[in-house]
Amino acid sequence: MPRSGEHYINSLRDGRTVYLNGEKIINHVDHPAFSNAIRSVAKLYDYQASNTELMTFETPCGNRVGRAWQLPTSRQILAERGDAAYAWARQSCGWLGRSPDHVASAITGMITHIKLFDIYSVERADALRRYYEFARDKDLYLTYAIVNPQGDRSKSPGEHTRNQFHTLGVVREMRDGIIVRGAKMLGTAAVLAEEILVAVQNPLKPGVDDKYALSFALPLNTQGIRILARKSYEATSTQLDAPLAHHFDENDAIIFFEDVFVPWERIFVYSNTAMCRQQFHGTAAEILMDTQSQARYAVKLHFLAGLAQRMTQITGINEFPSVRESLANIACHATTIEGLFRSLLHNPIQYGNYFIPNQVLLYACQAFAQTIYPQVIEIIRKLAGGGVIMLPSSVLDFNNPELNHMIEATQYSSVTSAIERVKLMKLVWDAIGSEFGSRHTQYEMFYSGPHFATLARLYGRYDWQNATDMTSTLLASDDMMDFRTQ
Ligand SMILES: Cc1cc2nc3c(=O)[nH]c(=O)nc-3n(C[C@H](O)[C@H](O)[C@H](O)COP(=O)(O)OP(=O)(O)OC[C@H]3O[C@@H](n4cnc5c(N)ncnc54)[C@H](O)[C@@H]3O)c2cc1C
């Protein structure tokens, strides 16, 4: 049987070290800062267990696990992976960014290009291969921290002279493993996941940054791992006042490693700056994980389109031509991302035995996605006016009979009741303007790296020859010459 939500929740009771608001949290699973988000993930596993054909496949050892672990050995399997990601994204309307299928896809994408690791180091390749099988067969929920903390971005980690362990690096090497110290950003879902993949996305300089050039995976309860959670939006939310934060606040954390032991069998890259880059960009890791992201993003944009339309119906502006144009713009963005996502699934490139989405198309999709999210939010803000602010202060206002007639009068709508209007408007604000909503704008702009880096990757892989050939051919044509001599 696939794992259940209950099995997942129990596995999180592992004694990990989480800090929040100055306190060390003893039981993070039932803590008001995290418990609903954990239950939302549990529902994903329950959904998976009740939709086994759509969501799972059978591993060589006979377990049924999530399709994100399935190697795309045919076009059909690639499409099925995408359908499963889409179905899971619909369970949170796209608001759980780092659902368990994201990092599972990254590891699976490394395995499609395991030859690259074999060439680099047989031992490290073996460790990765065995880790993939281990995590796949247990259907583990992994998160990752693959960005070095900001510090001074004009310097690489090795040039941060004041504190050489500002960024996670190797303290010492031992016979059975290494000791690491320092920080990584930004472990989204570190309180929800079971293990963490640590790696490096930032550029590193050979010779200067070797001790920071590593990648490994560990359980999140490993001794010395500190999860420094950001402020919880869930903790202060209610279903009525902030329904998205109430259910889907996946949290983000700085992950601090206080002299943590990492055994060799969990180390995939060691002291090799080039391999750190290749791990994501030279394999299908980034491609498969961000194809999953585009499934989620398409779902989220459709949700925002529907939310915006419902809001305009409630405020009676939905028949104005300019309002329909604004709504159509959101629908246009949602449909474009959906089309790009389907194209990633259905026009793959064959690499050995595997069918991999087109990398250039993925970069174009990422760059476009990063640009349009703030635009979509701005459109909804313009349509919302003050309606998302002129609301009862909290659910408690409904408990005071003195306020009832005033809420009825001020929350009037021609098409629905006062309470339904309040519920909808609070949902809109949580999506576009609350601290939870603002964090999502930052997330969509940055989770796959800064925009300039996405464009730099696109520039490097785009088929410029194909593009410039047309210019050359046109300029060299006889007609053109004739035109010039006339
Ligand atoms: C909500 C959220 C969740 C996240 N979750 C995760 C996660 O789970 N795991 C993970 O590993 N990471 C995660 N990230 C981190 C994310 O990957 C990084 O934010 C992203 O890679 C950008 O890095 P940075 O934030 O350090 O910004 P920087 O790299 O410092 O860039 C910030 C800005 O500085 C400018 N800039 C910086 N360098 C240059 C340059 N060389 N040339 C020109 N301009 C430059 C650009 O304007 C850029 O947009 C998350 C981020 C957010 C916001």
Side-chain angles (χ1 to χ4, degrees):
M1 280 295 289
R3 71 188 306 198
S4 65
E6 193 187 350
H7 180 271
Y8 156 72
I9 289 176
N10 287 335
S11 79
L12 291 186
R13 299 186 191 282
D14 58 6
R16 71 187 62 190
T17 306
V18 182
Y19 288 95
L20 179 78
N21 297 333
E23 280 178 19
K24 194 170 177 176
I25 305 296
I26 300 302
N27 167 14
H28 85 286
V29 177
D30 301 312
H31 193 281
F34 314 116
S35 70
N36 288 353
I38 289 171
R39 269 72 192 173
S40 294
V41 174
K43 282 185 191 157
L44 293 183
Y45 283 114
D46 285 337
Y47 176 84
Q48 176 174 283
S50 339
N51 295 275
T52 47
E53 265 318 299
L54 172 66
M55 300 301 299
T56 68
F57 75 107
E58 193 173 315
T59 70
C61 69
N63 294 357
R64 284 209 82 91
V65 303
R67 282 200 187 273
W69 296 108
Q70 192 169 17
L71 292 162
T73 48
S74 70
R75 287 169 187 273
Q76 191 186 335
I77 290 176
L78 182 64
E80 286 169 352
R81 286 175 53 94
D83 290 342
Y86 199 88
W88 245 7
R90 281 191 70 97
Q91 305 311 304
S92 69
C93 304
W95 292 93
L96 278 178
R98 203 49 52 78
S99 48
D101 44 354
H102 186 77
V103 180
S105 295
I107 302 278
T108 306
M110 289 172 204
I111 294 297
T112 59
H113 289 59
I114 194 73
K115 279 189 192 143
L116 203 72
F117 282 84
D118 280 326
I119 294 166
Y120 152 60
S121 155
V122 176
E123 289 82 18
R124 305 282 62 81
D126 244 29
L128 179 59
R129 211 179 266 113
R130 272 187 268 115
Y131 183 69
Y132 162 72
E133 289 167 4
F134 162 80
R136 176 198 64 192
D137 292 344
K138 289 191 171 317
D139 207 359
L140 284 184
Y141 183 175
L142 316 182
T143 186
Y144 59 34
I146 57 178
V147 177
N148 295 334
Q150 275 188 339
D152 179 348
R153 280 279 183 257
S154 69
K155 297 184 171 72
S156 76
E159 293 165 345
H160 276 84
T161 44
R162 236 186 12 212
N163 176 3
Q164 56 169 327
F165 292 107
H166 164 258
T167 294
L168 176 132
V170 180
V171 178
R172 66 177 175 278
E173 195 179 311
M174 297 178 309
R175 200 174 45 80
D176 48 352
I178 57 174
I179 301 287
V180 296
R181 185 187 304 161
K184 280 281 173 180
M185 70 186 271
L186 185 58
T188 295
V191 290
L192 312 179
E194 292 159 304
E195 298 222 354
I196 186 162
L197 171 70
V198 175
V200 194
Q201 278 273 19
N202 307 76
L204 295 173
K205 295 181 180 162
V208 178
D209 295 324
D210 293 349
K211 77 172 172 195
Y212 310 97
L214 74 163
S215 168
F216 58 85
L218 286 175
L220 276 153
N221 67 348
T222 303
Q223 190 163 11
I225 294 187
R226 316 283 184 232
I227 300 170
L228 310 182
R230 66 141 160 81
K231 172 181 178 178
S232 164
Y233 313 136
E234 177 183 322
T236 50
S237 71
T238 65
Q239 164 69 29
L240 182 124
D241 293 311
L244 296 173
H246 195 58
H247 293 289
F248 305 124
D249 182 16
E250 58 196 341
N251 208 283
D252 313 280
I254 294 172
I255 312 296
F256 194 80
F257 294 77
E258 219 156 24
D259 286 13
V260 174
F261 172 70
V262 191
W264 286 114
E265 61 267 25
R266 286 303 192 94
I267 300 173
F268 317 131
V269 178
Y270 183 66
S271 192
N272 189 314
T273 55
M275 200 56 206
C276 281
R277 201 167 43 250
Q278 290 289 75
Q279 182 177 19
F280 284 92
H281 307 309
T283 69
E286 183 185 42
I287 303 176
L288 291 186
M289 77 195 197
D290 284 336
T291 297
Q292 177 275 335
S293 298
Q294 298 312 322
R296 180 197 56 78
Y297 191 55
V299 168
K300 190 180 190 182
L301 290 182
H302 287 308
F303 172 83
L304 287 171
L307 183 67
Q309 204 216 24
R310 183 78 188 120
M311 178 183 71
T312 61
Q313 286 167 348
I314 281 180
T315 55
I317 60 172
N318 59 314
E319 295 295 338
F320 298 140
S322 62
V323 169
R324 292 186 153 218
E325 208 175 285
S326 297
L327 292 172
N329 256 314
I330 305 175
C332 175
H333 288 328
T335 309
T336 303
I337 293 291
E338 173 97 28
L340 288 169
F341 164 63
R342 299 286 161 197
S343 185
L344 286 167
L345 293 185
H346 294 288
N347 294 306
I349 292 168
Q350 189 163 5
Y351 174 83
N353 294 330
Y354 304 113
F355 292 83
I356 311 289
N358 182 316
Q359 194 166 22
V360 177
L361 182 61
L362 177 81
Y363 290 147
C365 194
Q366 281 178 338
F368 182 61
Q370 291 170 331
T371 313
I372 62 170
Y373 195 78
Q375 294 172 10
V376 167
I377 297 302
E378 190 183 328
I379 293 172
I380 303 176
R381 277 178 174 264
K382 281 183 177 161
L383 294 173
V388 285
I389 306 296
M390 52 157 260
L391 290 167
S393 55
S394 83
V395 67
L396 298 176
D397 284 2
F398 287 89
N399 296 340
N400 183 344
E402 278 175 42
L403 290 173
N404 284 350
H405 72 283
M406 287 186 270
I407 294 176
E408 279 295 322
T410 53
Q411 300 302 324
Y412 164 78
S413 161
S414 309
V415 296
T416 193
S417 64
I419 178 75
E420 289 306 318
R421 179 186 171 120
V422 171
K423 278 165 68 179
L424 192 279
M425 287 301 188
K426 293 243 180 197
L427 172 58
V428 173
W429 185 242
D430 209 18
I432 65 170
S434 70
E435 207 166 352
F436 175 90
S438 298
R439 178 264 177 197
H440 266 268
T441 302
Q442 205 69 3
Y443 181 82
E444 300 300 356
M445 291 170 70
F446 280 101
Y447 78 84
S448 59
H451 192 57
F452 78 88
T454 311
L455 289 177
R457 283 178 210 130
L458 179 59
Y459 186 94
R461 303 265 176 167
Y462 179 73
D463 188 350
W464 290 106
Q465 190 67 49
N466 172 51
T468 52
D469 275 357
M470 287 187 280
T471 308
S472 311
T473 308
L474 186 79
L475 291 177
S477 78
D478 289 346
D479 286 354
M480 206 77 151
M481 293 302 287
D482 290 348
F483 171 76
R484 287 179 63 196
T485 50
Q486 271 167 21

